[in-house]
Amino acid sequence: MAIEQELQLDYRLNEHIELVPAGRNHQAMLETTVFQPNGPGPFPLLILNHGKDPGRPNLQPRDRFYHMAMAFVKRGYAVMVPMRQGFANSTGRYHDHGCDMTANGYAQAEDILSTLEYARAQPWVDRDRIVIAGQSYGGLATIALGTRDLPGVRGLINFAGGLRDDSNNCGWRSALVSAFGEYGSKARLPSLWMYGENDSLFGPDLAARMHDAYVQNGGRGRLVEYPAFKRDSHGMVASRDGEKVWLADTEQFLQQVGMPTKVLYDIPEAPSPAETNFAKIDDVDSVPFLSQSGRGAYREYLTKMTPRAFAISPSGAWCWAEEGEDPDARALATCSAKSSQPCKLYSVDEKVVWNGDRIDAAEKAAVTASLTPDNGAATANGAVGGTALAKGN
């Protein structure tokens, strides 16, 4: 598991990791992030399910859906985010049925079912007030799970659900429509569907086809088609700004299925690096340690969306990260993985936070002149659709 994938646990949300037994004879263990309010509970529960990044599932980071989790914890919920078999640090084998999207959804739903069974046995969970949601592949799996008898579950939420397969001769779009049609014919619970206008994977036409197949075969689901969100709405749920899009419709749905929506807890803001007077944000020449290509990278960073962060090291290493969860930590971790010396944040969002590793002009010139040009750049994608990015040398 790559170092840039490690994220600190947030004590304000009582974030911790639990291992959930799953698979045949419960031999697999699902790395599951848990958030919950203070106190013993029992709390209403949200189970939130992840998508699939390109590449090997075991190299995918632990998903947290931190911003959505915080919104639910404020409303008194516990939140569980299980990594399914073969993903991140979960054991077991990733189950892939190729272009058979119906089978793919059912296979992934098995691990969500195991998480539900585990959760309902915990004393801190209100076993009769549960909602299950998922993003991308997790949305497909969530709707597939809705064909089962799910004690205590009031409803399902599908955020940009689906799975893309560009292998030869895979008609994945029509296969998705067929999958949702079958799930609709066996659906047992009401659902909310949310898809964005500029979703790079499942655009408005495909979203409408999938939803039509679902409801025409008997499924109960309201489709919300929201306007374009930043560069790609596929990663909206993981974005710090996504709450402005999903909250109102989600609260309405929760109220309809008898789940709470009132804010009960005030969670303090996370500590943020203070702005310094080291330089203006767009003063590229003032950024220490960078080679010529590193300065080009900083110029590129200045065009990126917030939240964003840029980290540097006296070794000449650098990294920027944008969008998704905790770009500060991702930028630092990726920079440190590529550096022989510690990395520190230079910029966060629209401010310079470099805080006193001050060097005089002569020393700065000597350090910069000693650096060789960067040999390319490495990228690491976060949420499917490339909405969470880290880049560095």
Side-chain angles (χ1 to χ4, degrees):
M1 189 165 145
I3 190 170
E4 64 262 31
Q5 297 171 354
E6 296 289 356
L7 294 172
Q8 295 296 317
L9 300 176
D10 193 326
Y11 68 91
R12 298 170 306 140
L13 303 178
N14 297 306
E15 181 183 5
H16 60 280
I17 306 297
E18 297 199 13
L19 298 179
V20 173
R24 183 173 298 177
N25 300 320
H26 284 173
Q27 292 179 340
M29 290 291 173
L30 308 183
E31 180 188 31
T32 302
T33 306
V34 179
F35 304 91
Q36 60 191 79
N38 292 329
F43 307 109
L45 176 69
L46 169 68
I47 299 176
L48 189 50
N49 300 291
H50 65 84
K52 182 183 183 300
D53 292 354
R56 292 167 52 189
N58 67 311
L59 297 180
Q60 183 166 321
R62 172 176 65 91
D63 276 289
R64 302 162 77 212
F65 295 101
Y66 172 81
H67 302 293
M68 178 170 282
M70 175 176 283
F72 273 82
V73 172
K74 285 180 177 179
R75 289 160 174 81
Y77 286 72
V79 179
M80 298 180 70
V81 186
M83 301 303 296
R84 300 186 297 277
Q85 289 186 65
F87 286 91
N89 287 330
S90 293
T91 61
R93 182 174 62 87
Y94 169 63
H95 299 282
D96 182 9
H97 293 273
C99 203
D100 188 341
M101 297 299 168
T102 305
N104 282 324
Y106 282 141
Q108 297 299 305
E110 290 297 322
D111 286 345
I112 308 175
L113 183 61
S114 295
T115 304
L116 174 63
E117 292 171 348
Y118 173 89
R120 296 189 78 242
Q122 306 309 307
W124 45 269
V125 170
D126 182 340
R127 54 189 288 127
D128 295 318
R129 292 196 297 172
I130 300 171
V131 65
I132 299 178
Q135 189 264 347
S136 196
Y137 200 1
L140 176 69
T142 295
I143 297 300
L145 180 69
T147 63
R148 306 284 291 268
D149 181 26
L150 305 174
V153 178
R154 304 281 186 94
L156 311 172
I157 308 177
N158 168 18
F159 295 108
L163 178 65
R164 177 171 176 166
D165 185 343
D166 290 321
S167 60
N168 292 337
N169 302 317
C170 177
W172 59 271
R173 293 175 180 83
S174 58
L176 280 176
V177 174
S178 296
F180 281 113
E182 174 168 328
Y183 303 154
S185 69
K186 302 176 181 179
R188 298 171 180 236
L189 292 166
S191 60
L192 172 68
W193 298 40
M194 297 192 71
Y195 288 79
E197 179 182 342
N198 63 331
D199 191 307
S200 63
L201 300 182
F202 316 118
D205 291 343
L206 179 56
R209 288 173 58 201
M210 294 187 295
H211 179 258
D212 287 347
Y214 185 75
V215 297
Q216 288 173 7
N217 281 278
R220 291 176 288 159
R222 181 170 74 93
L223 174 63
V224 176
E225 298 177 288
Y226 57 89
F229 179 80
K230 297 190 174 182
R231 293 196 190 100
D232 188 346
S233 61
H234 195 72
M236 180 272 295
V237 170
S239 173
R240 182 178 67 185
D241 301 320
E243 184 174 317
K244 301 171 186 175
V245 177
W246 63 259
L247 181 59
D249 288 293
T250 298
E251 284 191 318
Q252 179 182 344
F253 177 73
L254 292 174
Q255 290 169 354
Q256 290 172 350
V257 298
M259 297 292 287
T261 59
K262 183 180 179 180
V263 174
L264 301 175
Y265 299 95
D266 181 19
I267 300 173
E269 292 295 325
S272 177
E275 185 173 9
T276 66
N277 296 318
F278 181 80
K280 293 183 177 180
I281 184 74
D282 58 354
D283 185 353
V284 179
D285 291 335
S286 290
V287 186
F289 311 135
L290 297 183
S291 65
Q292 182 177 357
S293 60
R295 299 196 186 285
Y298 187 76
R299 291 187 184 92
E300 181 183 2
Y301 160 78
L302 292 175
T303 70
K304 300 304 174 182
M305 299 180 295
T306 58
R308 65 185 183 181
F310 194 94
I312 56 175
S313 166
S315 71
W318 54 267
C319 178
W320 57 258
E322 69 167 340
E323 266 293 355
E325 299 174 8
D326 208 347
D328 305 26
R330 287 170 24 233
L332 280 171
T334 306
C335 178
S336 297
K338 301 172 182 297
S339 175
S340 59
Q341 299 184 52
C343 293
K344 293 187 177 181
L345 292 173
Y346 179 80
S347 171
V348 174
D349 291 344
E350 301 296 341
K351 60 188 181 183
V352 172
V353 299
W354 185 253
N355 62 352
D357 288 49
R358 312 212 176 226
I359 51 180
D360 60 33
E363 184 180 358
K364 176 180 174 182
V367 171
T368 301
S370 69
L371 298 174
T372 57
D374 304 315
N375 296 319
T379 61
N381 286 315
V384 174
T387 58
L389 180 66
K391 184 174 181 180
N393 84 309

